[in-house]
């Protein structure tokens, strides 16, 4: 297979342009890219199944056919494996009947053996087979019962259905996270290429050959990898589905909010998908320089915590209190204290931490800010995690917050009030956190009933990461935006910066106030705003370590 | 008796090295070969008009000239002995009868391309041939004809026999290379072609057994003599595997351009047809079939058969008489290609199976009007849209059997009393609801 490792060349902002002729019109496209990408830059979508920007080209689905000029005149070629040549002639389905026929034929071939069980398929609504049928197929089936289908499936999963038909494999449990439906598979080879090329652990393969080939794991072996759920995203049909999302929600009901993963300092770009105030899944959002098209299973399953164990009000000395009362009491405690320790958090946004700094400023010498984390830092996995669980660590450092939690532990007796914002110190290291219990008034701003909230004297509920607007700076020195999904468990919950603003009478009315404060502390942020940061973030000059 | 260039040692016990030598074998492993530069040798092969005998008929000298010399990587020679086309069995017999001629041919090719390591990829089912080859290799190594410093020339070559696992598609050169490397035998995307990046991502020359076995004769007698045996454009001789309804099926070597009927009817060759000739498949099961009338006009060379819209292929001639059913033959062929599709490209994977199931439906008396046109449409749609030509190898028989024997297929469909029924019995289209 040494030759199949051809990664596609993707257009870049500074790619040199060459002119080619598409459907008779002269156009400028990036040089060296394949035709799928080149045509995309001029607004022509080429239907395809097996091609994926972040996987080696396999060229087996044959759906992306175009005509190109060669030594023997115009002829069919796959767009995903044909590089742009200056002056080349390309005909798409807009001008070539041959291309139209070829694409339609591929649709007919794929659907001939497909079970067509869209009504019970989770992929329906975001299925490439459905999309491409609408764009290139629209044929009437010529299949009939006597001819019959060749359902795909391993011998041990073949079965007779209620009508007595020989069927393939349905709902096969591949491992802890993924379910396989061999019948629906169109053998595009994306999942096996992902496991081989991205995950680096070839757990899936195509067994047998011809139309009786099927995807499977090695005998007795599960599909089990930190990134294995990505195969469910790249599967163009409903063959691979994640156990966490099966039969949960129809995808056309879901609204999408673009944000970033809060559990790792690479800040993988994600989309939070919600319906009716509830988050149903997290999907990767492609960023060529951050996480490509991948996210780890841990990041993907984070949404489950958004509806579990949430702190929706306040709690004072073990008794539930209304949120407004809790905030008011916190304000009184902070202002009545002799000396306040404020613990910032790399799990919160720049805006939240800026608010904490502004609060400290307003309290003057009575307040001191501490930062850092007790969580263990691992090594980058080369896919979509840096290994550092503190997402906004670099942001905190740039704001001037030092890594000095150990100082706080040593000098705990000096303080009579502790404010911990979005930072579960007691879960990270209960032993060390215990010494903070000498501080008589411990206020926790937390989205969850976590260990710190329980160890505090006053807990104040705040919004979780998926519900706030703001920004974080990832390990590459890239500032990226978080957007708010309308999924907070109660509408009263406020983001941490807003609660802190109330504690310090800062009078901030939106995240923009907090961001402006952060700009005052971080020169590299000058001139930026949320719009210019955009959905792909911005590299800050000279801040990456 | 015509001049034989490849099969002259048949029946003489030449699989033994001493016998082979006594018949003039390994004569080219001398100054005759080693005094030639690589360029002179490639030029000599080009002048002989030798073309690839595996099926495609690509000029051998030109193929060799595509192999880069200074890539910094080793050059591999891979012998394609994965003879799998239904009707073809000449390579099996060639390796069985005269293994040393193959080794000698490989040394010649190896010298031309600077090859140090060569593989013989033998079809898995050819166990006797593999044993014969291994025994011959052992003898050749012992005699200093392989290994380091062959015949004192300073040239070294190692040959390994690799046993395939039984897939027709591994006869396609890039699938063969994948299989050789230990991967699933599936054709690769091209470019790069094997000449540039083949086995182990290095320049690789893949040649058929018969092609290489012609080299010793060409070296001995000169390229012009070889060219003169055939027609101006198709030089030399060709080995044919003849099977089917002939009196004496077998492997025959005849000069290029020999009339097809001479091969089938000559008393020295096949000795005539059993029954009345209905048609001939001239170049392996994938080549378009010829009717008896066309077969009588056909000459066995690349150009003459191309003019009849068929091909010489690997030289597998299958003759059949009027008792054979075209429906039955096509059903066998579609089953073969559906079974052997590697499953990589959609049109071939799903299309060959689809066509096979329609064919089975027709053959079982359940065919309907329109099924034949449906078959032809499918065949047209899976031709020329895939990585390798396996789909075309299925499409050609479909198009030609149905095209040339259509009344037989229509008679088969006519056996179904429900042949005119509408395709769907219940109207279950969305339009029925809204």
């Amino acid at each position: 297979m040494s030759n199949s490792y051809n990664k596609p060349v993707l257009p870049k902002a500074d790619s040199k342009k060459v002119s080619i002729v598409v459907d008779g019109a002269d156009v400028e496209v990036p040089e060296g890219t394949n035709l799928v990408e080149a045509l995309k830059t001029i607004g022509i979508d080429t239907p395809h199944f097996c091609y994926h920007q972040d996987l080696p080209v396999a060229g087996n689905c044959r759906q992306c056919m175009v005509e190109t000029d060669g030594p023997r005149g115009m002829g069919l070629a796959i767009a995903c494996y044909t590089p742009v040549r200056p002056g080349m002639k390309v005909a798409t389905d807009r001008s070539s009947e041959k291309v139209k026929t070829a694409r339609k034929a591929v649709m007919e071939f794929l659907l001939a053996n497909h079970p067509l069980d869209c009504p019970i398929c989770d992929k329906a609504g975001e299925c490439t087979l459905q999309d491409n049928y609408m764009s290139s197929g629209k044929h009437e089936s010529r299949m009939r019962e006597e001819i019959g289908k060749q359902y795909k499936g391993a011998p041990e999963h073949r079965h007779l259905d209620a009508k007595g038909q020989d069927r393939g494999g349905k709902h096969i449990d591949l491992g802890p996270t993924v379910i396989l439906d061999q019948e629906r598979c169109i053998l595009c080879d994306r999942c096996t290429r992902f496991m081989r090329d991205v995950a680096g652990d070839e757990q899936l393969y195509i067994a047998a050959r011809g139309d009786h080939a099927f995807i499977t794991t090695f005998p007795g072996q599960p599909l089990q990898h930190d990134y294995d759920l990505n195969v469910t995203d790249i599967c163009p049909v409903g063959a691979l589905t994640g156990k966490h999302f099966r039969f949960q929600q129809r995808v056309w009901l879901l609204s999408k909010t673009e944000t970033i993963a809060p559990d790792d300092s690479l800040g993988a770009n994600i989309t939070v998908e919600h319906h009716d105030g509830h988050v149903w899944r997290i999907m990767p959002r492609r960023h060529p320089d951050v996480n490509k098209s991948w996210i780890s299973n841990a990041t993907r399953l984070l949404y489950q915590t958004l509806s579990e164990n949430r702190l929706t009000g306040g709690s004072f000395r073990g008794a539930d209190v209304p949120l407004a009362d809790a905030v008011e009491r916190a304000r009184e405690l902070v202002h009545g204290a002799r000396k306040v320790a404020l613990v910032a958090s790399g799990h919160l946004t720049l805006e939240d931490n800026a608010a904490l700094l502004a609060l400290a400023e307003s309290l003057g010498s009575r307040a001191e800010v501490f930062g850092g984390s007790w969580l263990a830092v691992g090594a980058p996995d080369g896919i979509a995690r840096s290994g550092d669980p503190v997402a906004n660590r670099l942001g905190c450092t740039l704001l001037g917050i030092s890594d000095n939690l150990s100082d706080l532990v040593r000098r705990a007796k000096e303080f009579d009030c502790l404010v911990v914002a979005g930072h579960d110190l007691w879960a990270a290291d209960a032993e060390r956190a215990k010494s903070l219990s000498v501080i008589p008034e411990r206020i926790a701003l937390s989205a969850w009933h976590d260990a710190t909230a329980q160890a505090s004297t006053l807990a104040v509920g705040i919004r979780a990461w998926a519900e706030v607007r703001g920004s974080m700076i990832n390990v590459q020195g890239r500032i990226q935006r978080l957007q708010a999904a309308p999924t907070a468990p109660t509408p009263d919950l406020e983001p941490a910066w807003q609660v802190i603003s109330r504690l310090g009478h800062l009078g901030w009315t939106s995240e923009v106030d907090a961001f402006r404060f952060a700009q005052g502390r971080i020169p590299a942020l000058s001139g930026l705003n949320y719009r210019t940061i955009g959905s792909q973030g911005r590299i800050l000059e000279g801040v990456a370590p | 008796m015509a001049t034989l260039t490849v099969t002259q040692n048949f029946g003489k016990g030449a699989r033994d090295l001493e016998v082979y030598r006594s018949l003039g074998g390994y004569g080219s492993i001398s100054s005759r070969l080693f005094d030639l530069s690589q360029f002179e040798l490639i030029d000599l092969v080009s002048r002989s008009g030798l073309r690839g005998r595996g099926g495609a008929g690509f000029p051998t000298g030109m193929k060799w000239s595509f192999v880069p010399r200074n890539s910094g990587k080793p050059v591999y020679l891979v012998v394609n002995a994965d003879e799998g086309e239904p009707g073809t069995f000449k390579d099996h017999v060639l390796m069985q009868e005269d293994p040393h001629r193959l080794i000698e041919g490989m040394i010649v090719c190896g010298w031309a391309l600077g090859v140090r390591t060569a593989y013989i990829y033998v079809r898995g089912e050819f166990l006797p041939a593999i044993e014969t080859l291994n025994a011959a290799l052992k003898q050749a190594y012992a005699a200093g004809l392989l290994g380091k410093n062959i015949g004192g020339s300073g040239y070294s070559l190692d040959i390994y026999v690799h046993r395939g696992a039984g897939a027709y598609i591994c006869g396609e050169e890039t699938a063969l290379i994948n299989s050789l490397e230990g991967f699933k035998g599936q054709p690769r995307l091209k470019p790069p072609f094997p000449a540039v990046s083949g086995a182990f991502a290095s320049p690789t020359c893949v040649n058929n057994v018969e092609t290489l076995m012609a080299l010793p004769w060409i070296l001995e007698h000169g390229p012009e003599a070889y060219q003169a045996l055939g027609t101006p454009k198709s030089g030399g001789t060709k080995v044919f595997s003849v099977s089917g309804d002939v009196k004496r099926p077998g492997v025959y070597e005849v000069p290029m351009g020999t009339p097809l009927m001479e091969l089938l009817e000559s008393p020295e060759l096949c000795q005539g047809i059993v029954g009345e000739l209905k048609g001939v498949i001239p170049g392996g099961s994938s080549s378009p079939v010829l009717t008896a009338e066309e077969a009588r006009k056909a000459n066995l060379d690349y150009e003459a058969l191309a003019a009849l819209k068929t091909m010489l292929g690997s030289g597998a001639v299958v003759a059949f008489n009027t008792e054979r059913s075209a429906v039955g033959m096509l059903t066998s062929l579609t089953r073969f290609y559906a079974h052997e599709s590697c499953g990589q490209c959609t049109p071939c994977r799903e299309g060959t199976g689809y066509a096979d199931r329609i064919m089975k439906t027709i053959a079982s008396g359940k065919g309907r009007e329109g099924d034949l046109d449906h078959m032809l449409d499918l065949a047209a749609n899976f031709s020329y849209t895939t990585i390798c030509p396996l789909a075309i190898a299925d499409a050609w028989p479909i198009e030609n059997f149905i095209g040339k024997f259509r009344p037989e297929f229509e008679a088969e469909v006519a056996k179904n009393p429900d042949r005119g029924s509408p395709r769907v019995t219940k109207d279950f289209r969305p339009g029925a609801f809204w």
Side-chain angles (χ1 to χ4, degrees):
Chain A
M1 295 276 177
S2 41
N3 285 349
S4 70
Y5 278 77
N6 301 294
K7 284 267 175 139
V9 179
L10 304 178
K12 292 213 168 67
D14 56 349
S15 293
K16 202 183 138 207
K17 298 270 182 166
V18 294
S19 65
I20 63 172
V21 184
V22 177
D23 297 327
D26 291 314
V27 292
E28 300 265 302
V29 295
E31 190 177 25
T33 62
N34 61 52
L35 281 177
V36 171
E37 297 297 336
L39 293 175
K40 205 187 284 175
T41 63
I42 56 166
I44 300 177
D45 274 335
T46 311
H48 56 79
F49 294 99
C50 67
Y51 173 73
H52 189 281
Q53 287 184 318
D54 296 314
L55 292 174
V57 176
N60 61 34
C61 76
R62 318 308 282 183
Q63 176 74 99
C64 64
M65 286 284 180
V66 291
E67 275 198 275
T68 57
D69 58 335
R72 277 172 278 181
M74 295 295 275
L76 290 173
I78 46 173
C80 67
Y81 198 64
T82 307
V84 168
R85 272 181 293 109
M88 80 192 295
K89 288 198 185 77
V90 181
T92 70
D93 60 334
R94 302 187 309 171
S95 68
S96 163
E97 278 303 314
K98 222 166 153 185
V99 171
K100 240 186 227 173
T101 311
R103 291 185 184 176
K104 199 167 173 169
V106 168
M107 281 314 307
E108 181 176 12
F109 288 133
L110 284 174
L111 291 175
N113 292 338
H114 188 77
L116 298 171
D117 55 352
C118 309
I120 56 156
C121 178
D122 274 302
K123 205 74 172 192
E126 56 178 6
C127 169
T128 318
L129 204 53
Q130 291 180 331
D131 294 347
N132 290 356
Y133 175 76
M134 296 313 288
S135 72
S136 323
K138 285 193 178 164
H139 58 276
E140 279 223 17
S141 173
R142 296 188 276 188
M143 178 60 75
R144 61 168 205 268
E145 266 178 42
E146 291 106 340
I147 296 171
K149 288 177 182 248
Q150 169 70 46
Y151 291 106
K152 296 174 204 313
E156 66 266 32
H157 296 300
R158 298 202 75 87
H159 63 283
L160 291 182
D161 68 6
K163 290 184 190 164
Q165 276 196 73
D166 175 30
R167 299 287 297 266
K170 300 296 271 183
H171 47 79
I172 298 161
D173 196 336
L174 282 189
T177 55
V178 177
I179 297 271
L180 167 67
D181 187 314
Q182 289 170 330
E183 279 188 357
R184 292 179 188 154
C185 177
I186 58 164
L187 297 166
C188 70
D189 194 26
R190 273 184 176 183
C191 55
T192 59
R193 275 178 284 149
F194 172 83
M195 291 309 291
R196 183 169 61 219
D197 211 65
V198 180
D201 192 352
E202 210 167 337
Q203 297 177 352
L204 290 173
Y205 74 111
I206 298 177
R209 67 186 183 209
D211 61 4
H212 41 288
F214 55 90
I215 294 280
T216 185
T217 54
F218 289 91
Q221 301 289 314
L223 171 67
Q224 189 166 17
H225 190 274
D226 290 346
Y227 283 85
D228 59 13
L229 278 169
N230 286 294
V231 301
T232 65
D233 303 339
I234 57 178
C235 182
V237 294
L240 292 159
T241 47
K243 288 181 181 173
H244 65 289
F245 186 66
R246 266 171 80 80
F247 308 134
Q248 294 300 302
Q249 198 71 191
R250 276 308 197 180
V251 296
W252 53 83
L253 298 174
L254 298 174
S255 305
K256 300 174 200 301
T257 301
E258 294 186 350
T259 186
I260 58 166
D263 64 335
D264 185 88
S265 71
L266 192 63
N269 288 209
I270 57 172
T271 310
V272 167
E273 304 201 359
H274 52 89
H275 172 55
D276 209 9
H278 189 87
V279 180
W280 292 97
R281 65 173 179 182
I282 290 174
M283 294 289 274
R285 181 160 60 89
R286 186 169 191 278
H287 193 304
D289 303 322
V290 177
N291 56 316
K292 299 266 185 351
S293 301
W294 324 120
I295 54 173
S296 67
N297 288 0
T299 300
R300 188 183 298 265
L301 298 178
L302 269 184
Y303 76 94
Q304 292 169 337
T305 63
L306 289 172
S307 54
E308 279 171 12
N309 202 24
R310 286 296 294 270
L311 182 57
T312 51
S315 144
F316 183 61
R317 302 201 197 286
D320 286 349
V321 293
L323 194 61
D325 294 0
V327 175
E328 182 53 28
R329 197 173 292 272
R331 199 181 57 75
E332 285 166 11
L333 288 174
V334 167
H335 286 278
R338 178 176 44 79
K339 184 122 195 188
V340 187
L342 303 171
V343 179
S345 167
H347 304 295
L348 294 181
T349 61
L350 270 186
E351 287 75 1
D352 297 334
N353 286 296
L356 207 71
L357 293 179
L359 172 63
E361 220 169 66
S362 76
L363 295 172
S365 60
R366 289 197 297 120
E368 212 172 314
V369 176
F370 296 90
S373 170
W374 289 330
L375 295 175
V377 176
D381 61 12
I383 307 176
R385 290 178 85 85
S386 69
D388 181 354
V390 185
N392 197 22
R393 189 189 291 270
L394 186 57
C396 287
T397 311
L398 292 173
L399 279 172
I401 298 166
S402 9
D403 188 356
N404 55 359
L405 275 180
S406 47
D407 290 353
L408 175 61
V409 170
R410 207 175 57 247
R411 295 165 43 211
K413 289 203 179 76
E414 297 173 23
F415 300 94
D416 61 348
C417 182
L418 171 74
V419 178
V420 182
H423 199 156
D424 198 354
L425 292 173
W426 269 260
D429 193 334
E431 201 54 40
R432 277 192 268 184
K434 210 191 287 172
S435 51
L436 300 178
S437 300
V438 299
I439 306 177
E441 294 298 345
R442 301 179 299 278
I443 304 170
L445 308 189
S446 176
W448 289 276
H449 277 294
D450 55 16
T452 301
Q454 275 158 26
S456 63
T457 52
L458 173 62
V460 183
I462 55 171
R463 287 198 198 170
W465 58 272
E467 298 142 16
V468 301
R469 259 161 50 102
S471 53
M472 289 189 179
I473 300 176
N474 82 351
V475 69
Q476 303 165 320
R478 182 188 303 274
I479 184 161
Q480 304 191 106
R481 285 173 63 186
L482 287 85
Q483 304 262 37
T487 57
T490 70
D492 306 339
L493 285 179
E494 290 174 337
W497 65 264
Q498 203 165 0
V499 174
I500 297 168
S501 160
R502 288 187 199 284
L503 302 189
H505 298 297
L506 301 177
W508 290 358
T509 55
S510 87
E511 299 81 3
V512 176
D513 294 326
F515 187 71
R516 291 217 181 95
F517 183 91
Q519 281 178 314
R521 295 293 175 98
I522 307 175
L525 291 182
S526 61
L528 288 180
N529 60 38
Y530 288 149
R531 195 173 50 76
T532 52
I533 293 169
S535 66
Q536 300 268 289
R538 287 280 283 258
I539 285 279
L540 302 178
E541 288 307 319
V543 306
Chain B
M1 190 86 186
T3 312
L4 300 180
T5 65
V6 177
T7 59
Q8 61 271 46
N9 289 352
F10 274 30
K12 295 180 183 165
R15 67 181 78 166
D16 183 68
L17 178 59
E18 288 317 310
V19 177
Y20 181 66
R21 279 195 143 150
S22 70
L23 293 165
Y26 287 115
S28 57
I29 311 307
S30 62
S31 57
R32 193 191 290 165
L33 173 65
F34 296 120
D35 282 356
L36 290 172
S37 73
Q38 295 190 342
F39 292 102
E40 285 166 342
L41 183 50
I42 292 173
D43 181 54
L44 184 146
V45 173
S46 297
R47 279 187 288 133
S48 75
L50 179 62
R51 290 166 67 165
R53 301 293 193 231
F58 195 79
T60 306
M62 198 192 289
K63 188 172 200 169
W64 289 5
S65 69
F66 291 154
V67 177
R69 269 151 200 81
N70 302 312
S71 66
K73 292 175 177 171
V75 177
Y76 293 103
L77 167 65
V78 180
V79 180
N80 186 346
D82 190 74
E83 182 175 50
E85 182 93 354
T88 315
F89 45 86
K90 62 176 176 79
D91 292 343
H92 189 194
V93 179
L94 287 171
M95 289 186 290
Q96 275 279 51
E97 288 290 328
D98 207 357
H100 285 288
R101 184 171 297 276
L102 175 60
I103 296 169
E104 189 176 347
M106 288 175 75
I107 298 171
V108 174
C109 176
W111 175 251
L113 301 175
V115 174
R116 292 303 170 96
T117 309
Y119 299 92
I120 310 175
Y121 186 98
V122 190
R123 177 175 169 177
E125 290 90 334
F126 288 175
L127 206 52
I130 291 169
E131 281 164 2
T132 309
L133 278 172
N134 278 329
L137 284 174
K138 207 168 159 188
Q139 283 183 323
Y141 269 105
L145 292 161
L146 284 175
K148 286 206 162 47
N149 193 14
I150 295 169
S153 64
Y155 174 63
S156 305
L157 176 70
D158 284 310
I159 297 179
Y160 301 94
V161 173
H162 186 99
R163 191 178 167 197
Y168 169 71
I169 193 57
C170 289
E172 199 275 352
E173 56 183 4
T174 55
L176 186 151
I177 289 169
N178 266 349
S179 173
L180 182 71
E181 287 183 15
F183 294 103
K184 194 170 177 178
Q186 291 185 321
R188 295 174 177 178
L189 289 175
K190 284 151 266 191
F193 289 92
V196 177
S197 177
F200 314 106
S202 303
T204 303
C205 177
V206 184
N207 274 141
N208 179 254
V209 172
E210 186 191 341
T211 316
L212 293 170
M213 287 176 74
L215 294 171
W217 195 94
I218 295 172
L219 231 67
E220 189 182 343
H221 300 274
E224 287 74 19
Y226 186 79
Q227 165 71 55
L229 293 175
T231 65
K233 281 189 173 171
S234 302
T237 61
K238 174 84 187 84
V239 180
F240 289 90
S241 333
V242 188
S243 59
D245 298 322
V246 290
K247 291 194 177 128
R248 198 176 66 150
V251 173
Y252 300 99
E253 182 178 1
V254 294
M256 285 283 189
T258 304
L260 172 58
M261 292 317 290
E262 188 182 323
L263 172 68
L264 297 179
E265 291 178 338
S266 160
E268 288 170 12
L269 301 166
C270 296
Q271 299 178 347
I273 308 295
V274 180
E276 189 191 336
L277 187 68
K278 178 174 175 180
V280 180
I281 300 173
S285 63
S286 61
S287 62
V289 64
L290 296 174
T291 59
E293 192 185 333
E294 287 169 321
R296 292 198 179 94
K297 290 185 285 190
N299 284 352
L300 293 169
D301 63 71
Y302 295 106
E303 289 72 29
L305 288 174
L308 288 168
K309 296 203 167 67
T310 183
M311 58 178 201
L312 186 64
S314 53
V317 177
V318 184
F320 50 94
N321 63 24
T322 46
E323 283 168 36
R324 307 286 171 188
S325 149
V327 179
M329 279 189 283
L330 184 57
T331 310
S332 301
L333 288 179
T334 54
R335 190 181 65 204
F336 174 79
Y337 288 105
H339 184 253
E340 293 295 344
S341 167
C342 83
Q344 199 174 191
C345 305
T346 305
C348 172
R349 180 183 68 227
E350 312 291 349
T352 54
Y354 196 170
D356 178 42
R357 293 200 302 280
I358 298 176
M359 208 48 233
K360 273 190 195 131
T361 311
I362 295 173
S364 64
K366 290 180 190 152
R368 291 203 181 158
E369 284 167 8
D371 276 358
L372 295 178
D373 292 327
H374 189 182
M375 286 277 288
L376 292 175
D377 196 33
L378 289 183
N381 284 344
F382 60 65
S383 304
Y384 304 103
T385 56
T386 50
I387 293 175
C388 84
L390 188 140
I392 301 172
D394 191 24
W396 280 345
I398 291 174
E399 286 165 357
N400 286 279
F401 268 99
I402 295 181
K404 292 177 182 174
F405 303 102
R406 188 155 182 136
E408 273 187 59
F409 288 87
E410 282 172 350
E412 197 69 36
V413 172
K415 287 181 191 164
N416 182 7
D418 294 334
R419 62 188 172 277
S421 311
R423 184 184 57 78
V424 270
T425 42
K426 280 181 239 161
D427 195 336
F428 199 71
R429 268 166 267 163
F433 298 117
W434 52 73

